[in-house]
Structure formats: structure tokens, C-alpha cells
Amino acid sequence: VAAVSLTLNYPLMLPGESPYRASIEPGYGGMTKFFSQHPNPWGWNPFAYCGLSAQFLYLPLVHYASVVVAWLMKLPATFTYEWVTGFAMCMGPVTVFAMVFYFTRSRKWALIVALTYLFFSPSYSLFLKVDHDRGFAQLPWRINAAVEYGERPHNFGLALMPLAVIALHAASVRRRFGYVFLAAILLAAVTLTNWIAGLGLAMICIAMLLSQRGAADSYDFRVGRTLGTALLAYLLASFWLTPSFVGTVMFNWPKDSYNFKVQVLQWLSMGGWLAVVYATNYFLRQSNWSFYARFVTLCVAIFGGLMFSVYWMNVHAIPESHRYLCEFDLFLVLAGWEWFRIARQSENLKVRRCAAVVCAMVFLWGSSQPYKYLTQGWENWRPVAAELTPEYRVAKWVESQSPRGRVMASGGTRYRLNNVTSMEQIGGTFETGLRNRTPVHYDYQIRTGVGTEYGSEGAEAVLQLKAMGVEYVVVHGPGSKEYYRDYEQPYKFETVLDRVYADRGDLVYRVPFKSYANLIRPDEVPKYARPTKFIYKYVAAIEDNNRPALTTRWLNVNELEIKGPVEKDMLVAVRVSWDPGWEAFQDGAPVELTPDALGFMLVKAHTAGNSTMLLRFVGATEQKVMAGVSGLAWLLALGYLVKSWSKRAGMDKGHQ
């Protein structure tokens, strides 16, 4: 299975860019590049969204695993990200084989299920929208989602998921701490890979708890051990999954899911989804099926309810329901073969014959998928050289200008900017982890004109650009080969900014920029970020040539140096996102640092003819506390594991 999967999917492990231009994969590669250069997990990343804590950049497992491989093999981190995630995706059918064999003890059934999962995606036949979205290459949906949209971290977690299920079940039925510890590690690993995979695993764990009740072969199942394993998993991962990080992601998640709102249709959809799950669980409890049959059937109901709601009724029961299509495909394949296996074992001849007919029909129905998958070759979805893309050309040109301020890159360029360069921008890839949402709001308003006072006028957009410290604006016009081209009025800056680059529909404009730090009076501090009228005085103060100038310089990613005079009753406005982990010093003495309405920093500096201020990011106290909690959990768990092994070894020696 592994050899076939690696052979069929080897383009996943090649360097370059996906031929699908909507893919955000380079954004994840840029994260891996950042962590390879700045591995401190509690440091600062100045390159995305006007700056953010590295912990809030994304979940860490895929990126740090790729960094380790890059260090060991002395390869670029952006390539090892593709190799590590591609290899994990190829191993997905192998972990499915392991899960089926664990529950059925049949290599034959495990092989059949693994090969079916390798070649076949039931969702193409069930949902017309999914079938239309398969792109120009015939690939199983999980592979298509990675190639077309960049869902590699999700697929990494999906490949680990069957192993987590095996370990959690073993921990729940066997009285050994080693199984609990292993299951906790795998649960934590899936969650530290991708949010969707982690939440999907949580639903699977609920299905496991519900399925064991009344099953004839689950008499040794201990709910307390399952819950204890989940708690231990969180404690092991709490160094990253701090309460503020979890809260920030959960609060932002609906906003970034096409502005998901719980209205009447959502309530009805959620109610229908829960009713389907409840009814399925009720009828399963009346059956004499095994735990495994109940479990995979209930998982089909859980993920299937979400899929039928979003693809048949066009309603998301929960944010980003459609992304659980990968889990739905997995469990429908598992359940379909388990239902067939149960039918084959029936004493009723008609049941066995009906099962054979249904199986034959399904095989004929979906046979075109594996046929096309096997015969299409790799040319349609082989990665292309990044240098050939318009996003790369524009990014490298802007880099050649040695910008001192930020870049506002729209569309696909914002995902690729930090993959090919190390420039500060107001965009990025993972908005759900942002504490400061001003860059996201302003970016949307500038591109669309929605929510602004004067529609999409360029002059108002320039005010927002200046407020965020932008020096270059990248616009992909109608003639560009870039995929998104997401400006409602791509030529809005023609009369208000200097155009400094134009090539095949790709345009770059320069915004006047002096420094990230400026002197302002207290009455010039914006009271609100929106509407734009509240930043007029703020921007005017930034551009006032009669005030003493301040210079800024990044000493490293965690330290920003500011030099210049500070006049009486003046504040120092620093257009870098505020975070509790920042501290400020003026000529070696600590000074007060507060956030403003834009989410940037204000330094309450003392009057001085000339001074040096240092802003240093040391990480929030919560991060250090939770790192201590996580470290203690690891030490206690390892200590208890060694103790239990020693005790068991002593007992075995005594029996001898």
C-alpha cells in the first residue's frame, strides 16, 4: 500500500508551486521558513499582519517537523515542508490499514479498505459541487484539497488520525499507562497539526464514547480512561494551546469562515445535524453490532450530517463545515466495507446476495475514479517553478527596492511573499490567530471599498495605508495572470500614488513612508480604528515634517530600536502590533507601553533631547506558565511510565 501510494503521489514531495493558482500552500511554506530561521516558539514575527507573536502564527507540529528535517538534510525549509507533508499524505492509506487491522484482525479486509481509500472518494459521486471542484486532474479529494487549495496541514493530521483512534481505544480498554501516554501524545499531535483536524478528532472521540455503550465487545471500555487521556493530551500540548491562544482562535474562527453567523438557518441546520447523530446512535444501540461497526457508522452520521447540510442545502451548521469532507470520505469508506462485511456474515442468503449486488453497483459507479487516477500521469498536477509565476516576479522586484516600510500584497502574492522573501507585510496566511484585527479590516476595505466613508476612493485608502506603515502596494489588474485579482477598482491609486512598477497587469505603487515610530500628541491618538475619520489627525501627525524625526531599526525579530528626541507632552506611536509580551525601555530605564485603538503600540516616553528607546518582545507570562505546566506534565507522565515499566519488569522477574 505504501509503495503504491508513494508512486502515485510522488509529485506531492517535489519542490515548486502547485499548478492550481488558488492554492495557499506557499503561505505555510513561508511559516516553515520563518521557524527555520527563528526557531524560538515564544518570539515575535514582524513579517505578517503588522507583527504577531510566533505562537499565534499557526499550530507548530508540521512546521517544526519540517524544520528538523531541513536541519538534518541541509535542505531549504520550504522544500522540506512539501516533502514532510507529502510523505504524510502518502502514508494516509497505511494508517487506515493499521486501524482496520486493529479492529478486525483481518489483513484481507484491511488491505481492501486501504486500497479503496487510496483510489476512491465517495464524495465525488454524492455531491455535484464537489465533483465540479475536482479540477483538471483526477485525484482523491484529500489529495485534491491539498494540491488545489493547500490543505497539507489538515492532511497531515488526517494521516495521524487512525493511529490516534487505535491508541485511544487501546488506552480505554487496557490497564497500562503506556497506552494512555501514547494515545495522549497522538491526540496532542493531531491537534498541534491543524485546527480542523483537531476538531474533527474531538468529534471522533465523542463518537467513540457513544459507540461503546451496549456494544458486546466493549465490556472492558473505561470512559474515565478516555477522558483522562484527553486531559493528559491537552496538558502535554498546553505549551502552545494556551487559554488565550485557544480563545483567540475560537473567537476569530466564525469571522474568518465567510463571516459565519448563527441565524435561523444555522440553528435549523445544527438541530437537524444533532438529530441525525442522536437518531443514528439510538438505532445503533438497539443493534448487536460490534463497537467498531457502531463507531465508524456514527462517524459517518457526524461528518455526513455536516456535508449534506452544506452541499445539499448550502447551509453551514458549524464554521467551515465543508472542510470536514476529508473526514467524511475516510469514514464512509471504513463504514461501507464494514457494512458489507457484516452483511456477508449474515445467515440470511438474501442479505448476502443484496450486499454483493450493492457492492458491485458501487464498484461500477466509481470505477472511473481509479482508472483515471492510474492512467492520467503526473503532468497535470506536477509542481511548477515558482520563478515562472507573477507573484514571484513582483515579490522579488519589491524586495530589490529594499523597502523600509511594509508591503500590502493582495491575492495570492500575500501568501507567497514571505515564502520567497523576508519583507514585512500587512497580510499573511492564518488570520484566525490574530489579536490585532486592524490589518485584516483595513486590507478588506482598501480592496473592496466596503465599510468606508467614501466608497472605494483611493485617497481614503491611502490614509489607511499610511496608518499601517505601508510603503509599497501590489495590485494585480485585469491583465494579470495572478488568480485572485481581488481589487474592486484596481486602478484606484493611479491619481493618488506614484506607480513604480507595471508588468503584464501587475502594478506596484509607492506610499510616502518615513518611519514606524512618530511623535504624536495625546489628542491625536485615534479613539477608534473605524471609520476612517478617526485616523485623519493620526496620519497628519505622522506626516508632520515640523516634528522631530524618529528612526527605527530591527536589531533582530524580537527587538526594535527607536532613536531621536522626545518633546514635552508627546507620545511615541509605534506602528507595530501590541502584545502583552512587549516591554519598553528608554535609555535603559523601563517606560510604560500601551495599545492604541488601531492595535499598535504607544510608548509614554520621557522628554529628552536625544534618546534611544528599545522595544523588546519577551513573551507573555501566560506562555511561560503554560510551558511550565506542559513541561511538568511531560516529566510526571514519563516518570510514571518508567515506574510502571519497572514494576511490571519486577513482577515478570518474580514469576520466573
Side-chain angles (χ1 to χ4, degrees):
V1 174
V4 174
S5 184
L6 287 167
T7 302
L8 281 174
N9 301 313
Y10 95 98
L12 292 171
M13 295 176 283
L14 296 178
E17 282 215 21
S18 168
Y20 292 90
R21 305 308 303 146
S23 173
I24 66 171
E25 176 189 327
Y28 295 119
M31 295 178 188
T32 301
K33 173 188 170 185
F34 172 80
F35 283 122
S36 70
Q37 297 171 344
H38 312 285
N40 179 10
W42 299 290
W44 185 255
N45 179 0
F47 302 115
Y49 299 111
C50 300
L52 75 163
S53 169
Q55 179 201 5
F56 286 68
L57 184 63
Y58 201 71
L59 293 157
L61 183 62
V62 172
H63 304 296
Y64 277 100
S66 303
V67 166
V68 171
V69 174
W71 289 346
L72 292 176
M73 301 182 68
K74 301 186 185 308
L75 292 170
T78 51
F79 168 61
T80 57
Y81 166 78
E82 294 164 347
W83 189 90
V84 167
T85 53
F87 181 79
M89 291 165 63
C90 291
M91 292 299 103
V94 178
T95 62
V96 168
F97 176 94
M99 176 177 164
V100 177
F101 178 73
Y102 172 82
F103 284 109
T104 66
R105 297 300 171 186
S106 171
R107 288 187 175 84
K108 179 186 73 173
W109 284 109
L111 181 61
I112 291 172
V113 176
L115 289 174
T116 304
Y117 181 64
L118 172 60
F119 290 111
F120 185 66
S121 290
S123 56
Y124 285 135
S125 300
L126 293 173
F127 309 116
L128 189 61
K129 289 182 179 179
V130 178
D131 187 47
H132 288 168
D133 198 25
R134 73 170 73 199
F136 44 74
Q138 172 60 56
L139 301 168
W141 176 255
R142 69 186 187 282
I143 307 294
N144 189 81
V147 175
E148 189 170 356
Y149 297 111
E151 283 277 75
R152 285 176 177 254
H154 185 186
N155 269 279
F156 193 106
L158 190 71
L160 291 177
M161 209 172 283
L163 300 180
V165 169
I166 294 171
L168 183 59
H169 184 267
S172 301
V173 300
R174 300 178 184 177
R175 296 174 179 268
R176 292 187 183 180
F177 181 72
Y179 292 112
V180 173
F181 188 45
L182 176 61
I185 291 175
L186 286 168
L187 291 176
V190 173
T191 307
L192 290 174
T193 297
N194 175 264
W195 269 112
I196 298 297
L199 291 172
L201 182 60
M203 298 180 200
I204 291 169
C205 291
I206 292 173
M208 181 176 287
L209 290 173
L210 294 174
S211 301
Q212 58 81 30
R213 186 177 178 185
D217 57 347
S218 63
Y219 55 88
D220 286 330
F221 198 97
R222 296 290 183 269
V223 173
R225 292 172 68 84
T226 306
L227 298 176
T229 302
L231 176 61
L232 178 59
Y234 172 73
L235 293 176
L236 296 180
S238 61
F239 69 95
W240 201 279
L241 303 179
T242 62
S244 63
F245 179 62
V246 174
T248 299
V249 170
M250 296 306 293
F251 181 76
N252 287 334
W253 187 31
K255 300 177 184 177
D256 298 328
S257 304
Y258 308 102
N259 201 23
F260 175 86
K261 295 180 180 179
V262 182
Q263 298 176 333
V264 175
L265 287 177
Q266 282 70 32
W267 281 116
L268 291 174
S269 180
M270 280 190 282
W273 173 48
L274 294 176
V276 167
V277 174
Y278 176 84
T280 304
N281 182 57
Y282 176 80
F283 286 112
L284 287 173
R285 285 173 57 187
Q286 313 308 312
S287 72
N288 60 353
W289 283 7
S290 67
F291 164 81
Y292 174 65
R294 293 182 176 196
F295 168 63
V296 293
T297 302
L298 191 56
C299 286
V300 169
I302 290 174
F303 295 113
L306 293 176
M307 294 308 102
F308 281 95
S309 176
V310 70
Y311 286 115
W312 282 17
M313 297 184 291
N314 200 31
V315 179
H316 289 263
I318 61 175
E320 296 188 292
S321 301
H322 63 288
R323 294 182 66 185
Y324 296 97
L325 190 63
C326 295
E327 283 79 1
F328 173 68
D329 268 349
L330 168 61
F331 281 98
L332 188 55
V333 169
L334 291 169
W337 279 115
E338 184 61 15
W339 298 335
F340 179 69
R341 193 170 76 96
I342 292 172
R344 280 189 73 251
Q345 295 171 350
S346 173
E347 297 178 357
N348 190 319
L349 180 60
K350 291 183 178 180
V351 171
R352 296 200 300 271
R353 287 178 175 174
C354 286
V357 170
V358 170
C359 183
M361 291 175 62
V362 171
F363 176 78
L364 292 174
W365 186 24
S367 59
S368 63
Q369 288 188 40
Y371 174 77
K372 293 178 181 178
Y373 188 27
L374 286 167
T375 59
Q376 69 181 343
W378 299 288
E379 292 305 316
N380 283 345
W381 61 292
R382 188 192 300 271
V384 299
E387 293 80 1
L388 301 177
T389 65
E391 299 93 340
Y392 181 91
R393 291 195 298 270
V394 171
K396 296 303 286 186
W397 184 88
V398 176
E399 183 185 39
S400 70
Q401 305 305 300
S402 302
R404 295 176 297 118
R406 295 190 178 95
V407 179
M408 178 176 169
S410 64
T413 303
R414 76 179 177 107
Y415 300 122
R416 292 159 173 81
L417 194 69
N418 296 137
N419 189 40
V420 299
T421 71
S422 293
M423 293 187 292
E424 298 173 60
Q425 64 166 322
I426 67 169
T429 301
F430 184 61
E431 297 175 356
T432 312
L434 293 180
R435 285 172 162 171
N436 181 13
R437 303 282 297 183
T438 296
V440 175
H441 295 316
Y442 277 6
D443 175 270
Y444 178 74
Q445 291 178 352
I446 291 168
R447 289 184 292 103
T448 66
V450 176
T452 58
E453 295 174 75
Y454 309 112
S456 55
E457 293 294 331
E460 183 176 4
V462 171
L463 283 175
Q464 295 171 312
L465 293 170
K466 291 178 178 178
M468 293 187 292
V470 172
E471 186 175 7
Y472 288 95
V473 184
V474 178
V475 179
H476 298 287
S480 173
K481 298 299 183 182
E482 192 269 338
Y483 175 80
Y484 290 96
R485 299 189 294 278
D486 48 6
Y487 270 85
E488 291 290 331
Q489 297 184 20
Y491 301 109
K492 66 192 295 181
F493 297 117
E494 285 292 318
T495 59
V496 290
L497 292 175
D498 293 331
R499 190 209 304 163
V500 292
Y501 176 91
D503 181 36
R504 288 168 275 188
D506 302 310
L507 310 171
V508 180
Y509 300 90
R510 191 178 187 281
V511 184
F513 176 83
K514 297 179 181 178
S515 171
Y516 284 135
N518 301 87
L519 294 175
I520 65 173
R521 291 189 295 270
D523 64 315
E524 295 167 336
V525 177
K527 297 179 180 179
Y528 306 98
R530 295 174 289 171
T532 313
K533 66 181 181 181
F534 289 107
I535 64 172
Y536 274 102
K537 293 174 66 176
Y538 180 72
V539 174
I542 289 172
E543 295 190 302
D544 188 353
N545 292 323
N546 295 320
R547 303 187 187 194
L550 300 177
T551 61
T552 57
R553 180 171 67 102
W554 286 101
L555 303 180
N556 52 66
V557 293
N558 298 315
E559 293 183 320
L560 179 65
E561 181 185 72
I562 305 171
K563 287 187 175 183
V566 180
E567 294 186 340
K568 185 179 180 181
D569 298 326
M570 286 282 196
L571 301 171
V572 178
V574 185
R575 284 166 288 166
V576 175
S577 294
W578 178 87
D579 187 276
W582 280 106
E583 57 184 22
F585 301 88
Q586 182 180 13
D587 298 324
V591 290
E592 187 177 354
L593 186 68
T594 60
D596 63 18
L598 299 179
F600 298 143
M601 292 187 281
L602 284 174
V603 182
K604 296 184 178 180
H606 306 299
T607 304
N610 195 22
S611 67
T612 299
M613 287 163 277
L614 180 67
L615 305 186
R616 179 185 296 128
F617 187 78
V618 296
T621 302
E622 179 196 48
Q623 294 174 307
K624 300 170 185 176
V625 171
M626 296 308 295
V629 170
S630 180
L632 182 61
W634 278 95
L635 288 174
L636 292 176
L638 287 169
Y640 190 79
L641 181 64
V642 171
K643 181 180 177 181
S644 62
W645 280 350
S646 300
K647 183 178 179 180
R648 184 170 295 276
M651 292 175 62
D652 292 341
K653 187 175 181 180
H655 287 307
Q656 294 176 359

